[in-house]
Amino acid sequence: MNSRFVGIYVFLVIFISSFAVFTLDEREMAVVLQFGKIKRVVLDPGLHFKVPFVENVRFFDKRIQVLDSQNSERFITSEKKNINIDSFLRWRIVDPKLFLTTMSGNLSFAELRLTQTTNSALREEVGKFPVHDVISGQRDDIMQRVNKSADADARQFGVKIVDVRLRRVDFPPEVSDSVFRRMRAERERVAGQLRAQGFGEAESIRASADKERLIVLADAYRKAAEIQGSGDAMAADIYAKSFKSDPSFFRFYKSMLIYQDSFNDKSDVLVLDPSIDLLKYISSQHSLRTDK
């Protein structure tokens, strides 16, 4: 009989003890409540104790969560143009006690509040810039300011916004065509300017090259004329010296050159008076010695 009571007692102790301990995962944090009032916050992973049937535990994930917008939102830029923005944010709980107090620990309430806060901050920042800056020029700066503004509000209910990002920025269908036409016209204008600039530079290069070519040719012709004049002068000087040293041989040599040029082909015919001086060296009676 006593052994039965001992067994029952041991069972009751084990059963009650199971309600007196709880295990906290390293990815979680917990808030211990007593009759609905917060008693303490548990952040260290491991085995922890609580008063059974009096205290209960609420667990919260301390990992980073991603809140992705289901549909893109329409925003107005400083140019009064409509754009559709698809964004997402990453957040996590940093103060479980404050989160439980303000949001009752409800993740849906927190995500709704974060969406509203982020959209409000994004709408305010987008309204300060033109379309180009929102898409590329000031995109990172806009995200930093939105992150800072939204995080300041999120801290009020124990949440930290880690990052806010734009996934996609589109034009509404009614303005896409006009925007693309304007962008195309702008690109064509820039292309025309570049082509005109390139044509002007090409003409300048060609003109410079032609000028240098004329200068080089003129200099070459001048040098060639100088060389040819110098050669002719040297040749004339040699001829003059030769004629002075032996006039008869010089006349003979010049006559031979004339013969060579005149009777270059067998078909050439030349009718001359035999008594002229040009033919005296052909005559058999003539001798170079008699001309000395």
Side-chain angles (χ1 to χ4, degrees):
M1 190 68 177
N2 291 332
S3 61
R4 181 180 296 177
F5 286 137
V6 171
I8 295 174
Y9 177 76
V10 171
F11 173 76
L12 290 175
V13 170
I14 296 174
F15 178 74
I16 294 173
S17 298
S18 64
F19 290 94
V21 296
F22 65 93
T23 302
L24 188 64
D25 190 89
E26 60 184 4
R27 297 166 295 180
E28 297 176 323
M29 46 191 168
V31 177
V32 180
L33 299 96
Q34 182 177 348
F35 301 115
K37 294 182 179 181
I38 298 176
K39 297 296 291 182
R40 65 185 183 276
V41 176
V42 181
L43 301 176
D44 298 327
L47 187 65
H48 300 273
F49 296 92
K50 63 183 180 68
V51 179
F53 308 111
V54 175
E55 295 179 341
N56 64 308
V57 182
R58 291 286 302 271
F59 296 94
F60 299 98
D61 197 336
K62 62 181 179 182
R63 293 175 296 180
I64 294 176
Q65 319 245 354
V66 178
L67 177 57
D68 195 355
S69 59
Q70 298 297 325
N71 300 307
S72 59
E73 296 286 340
R74 180 167 294 190
F75 297 85
I76 300 177
T77 65
S78 62
E79 304 166 307
K80 306 303 179 184
K81 295 186 181 298
N82 293 323
I83 56 175
N84 294 332
I85 296 179
D86 185 10
S87 62
F88 71 94
L89 62 91
R90 297 185 298 166
W91 63 281
R92 64 186 181 90
I93 301 172
V94 294
D95 189 342
K97 180 178 179 180
L98 183 59
F99 183 76
L100 182 60
T101 302
T102 55
M103 292 291 165
S104 300
N106 193 313
L107 294 179
S108 298
F109 291 165
E111 291 180 348
L112 179 61
R113 174 71 176 272
L114 290 173
T115 300
Q116 293 173 349
T117 300
T118 304
N119 284 345
S120 177
L122 187 58
R123 196 173 302 277
E124 180 180 357
E125 291 297 330
V126 169
K128 299 177 182 179
F129 297 93
V131 174
H132 175 268
D133 290 340
V134 175
I135 295 176
S136 60
Q138 299 291 330
R139 185 165 181 167
D140 291 338
D141 293 338
I142 292 174
M143 291 298 94
Q144 291 179 4
R145 283 191 287 270
V146 170
N147 192 354
K148 183 177 179 180
S149 177
D151 183 64
D153 181 77
R155 295 284 183 164
Q156 299 177 12
F157 52 93
V159 170
K160 175 184 179 181
I161 294 181
V162 178
D163 194 14
V164 178
R165 288 293 168 187
L166 300 184
R167 177 181 289 109
R168 187 174 181 180
V169 179
D170 288 328
F171 295 104
E174 59 269 19
V175 299
S176 295
D177 293 339
S178 62
V179 171
F180 289 145
R181 283 196 298 270
R182 185 166 60 254
M183 292 173 62
R184 181 175 180 178
E186 176 65 18
R187 293 295 179 268
E188 289 178 350
R189 183 186 65 81
V190 174
Q193 290 179 348
L194 293 176
R195 281 194 292 268
Q197 182 180 356
F199 180 78
E201 292 181 356
E203 289 296 322
S204 177
I205 293 172
R206 279 194 288 268
S208 178
D210 290 340
K211 180 180 177 181
E212 292 180 1
R213 171 179 171 272
L214 292 176
I215 293 174
V216 171
L217 289 176
D219 187 63
Y221 290 148
R222 180 183 60 80
K223 290 181 178 180
E226 291 177 354
I227 294 172
Q228 185 175 2
S230 177
D232 291 341
M234 293 176 63
D237 184 64
I238 293 173
Y239 286 146
K241 291 180 179 179
S242 299
F243 179 77
K244 185 177 180 181
S245 62
D246 193 349
S248 60
F249 177 78
F250 183 78
R251 285 193 298 270
F252 173 76
Y253 175 73
K254 294 296 288 184
S255 298
M256 292 299 104
L257 292 178
I258 295 174
Y259 294 162
Q260 182 180 1
D261 294 337
S262 300
F263 305 105
N264 190 31
D265 197 301
K266 292 181 179 180
S267 62
D268 292 339
V269 177
L270 187 64
V271 179
L272 296 173
D273 186 355
S275 63
I276 64 174
D277 292 338
L278 178 64
L279 300 178
K280 66 181 180 178
Y281 293 106
I282 299 177
S283 174
S284 60
Q285 290 82 10
H286 186 273
S287 173
L288 289 176
R289 182 174 301 175
T290 60
D291 289 338
K292 291 183 180 180

